[in-house]
Amino acid sequence: MTPSAPPGQSEPPGSRRALTVSVLAAVVGGAAAYFTTGRVWASETVERVAPLPPDTVHTTGRDLVPWAAAAALVGAAGGLALLATRGRGRLAVAALLTVAGLAVAAGGVRGLAGDTTFVWPLLCVAGGVLVLAAGVVALARGRGWAAMGARYDAPAPRAKAPAAVGPDAPPAAMWDALDRGDDPTR
């Protein structure tokens, strides 16, 4: 039994590997898609009044499909959130990853449909598919994955000691009061 598995249950074999692969897929896919949306997807030459030369207007993926860049960031952050969540929270993150992956892939397909370059929108679709796959795997298998241990949880509040520490108390009692969160100078 591993320390991070729920009490009475052992971690399924290969679950750490599936968690690692899902996290990496979401982070790499989201980062790659975000990078590709910043590249030039389309260029257009605009004629201007003489004697001005023609002007070339470059349009990035973020200009064409701004939601794809935002969804790519959500995918990258959601991949890291898989590590910090458990139970229903992890399922919510997995569902968010699935939706973000669909949005990124749809943005890339939208870019392919226009008069754009072929490479950057296609890489955006590939990044979206990675995020989507990470979300689907996390939805299917996320409940059995390890979670961060209890040492990362916020400490439970301690009960206050009823006895006040006076100025004539031994130094050890004053240090104990400080450890409890009491102010021994009051």
Side-chain angles (χ1 to χ4, degrees), residues 73-106:
L73 287 177
V74 168
L80 295 175
L82 285 175
L83 293 172
T85 55
R86 65 181 116 174
R88 289 185 182 148
R90 184 172 283 161
L91 290 178
V93 169
L96 186 65
L97 277 175
T98 304
V99 171
L102 284 171
V104 171

Side-chain angles (χ1 to χ4, degrees), residues 12-115:
S15 70
R16 286 192 190 270
R17 183 175 301 128
L19 173 62
T20 302
V21 169
S22 292
V23 168
L24 287 175
V27 170
V28 169
Y34 185 74
F35 175 76
T36 62
T37 59
R39 305 299 103 203
V40 175
W41 285 18
S43 295
E44 180 182 355
T45 303
V46 177
E47 294 296 326
R48 299 192 298 180
V49 178
L52 296 173
D55 190 21
T56 303
V57 178
H58 300 290
T59 307
T60 65
R62 292 185 193 137
D63 296 331
L64 291 174
V65 284
W67 76 86
L73 287 177
V74 168
L80 295 175
L82 285 175
L83 293 172
T85 55
R86 65 181 116 174
R88 289 185 182 148
R90 184 172 283 161
L91 290 178
V93 169
L96 186 65
L97 277 175
T98 304
V99 171
L102 284 171
V104 171
V109 169
R110 165 73 174 87
L112 286 171
D115 187 23

Side-chain angles (χ1 to χ4, degrees), residues 75-175:
L80 295 175
L82 285 175
L83 293 172
T85 55
R86 65 181 116 174
R88 289 185 182 148
R90 184 172 283 161
L91 290 178
V93 169
L96 186 65
L97 277 175
T98 304
V99 171
L102 284 171
V104 171
V109 169
R110 165 73 174 87
L112 286 171
D115 187 23
T116 62
T117 62
F118 185 70
V119 174
W120 297 121
L122 186 64
L123 289 174
C124 184
V125 170
V129 168
L130 279 175
V131 173
L132 174 65
V136 169
V137 169
L139 276 173
R141 300 182 60 193
R143 284 195 170 263
W145 289 346
M148 292 189 336
R151 65 180 169 196
Y152 298 109
D153 290 344
R158 295 182 181 175
K160 298 274 184 180
V165 178
D168 56 343
M174 289 188 184
W175 284 111

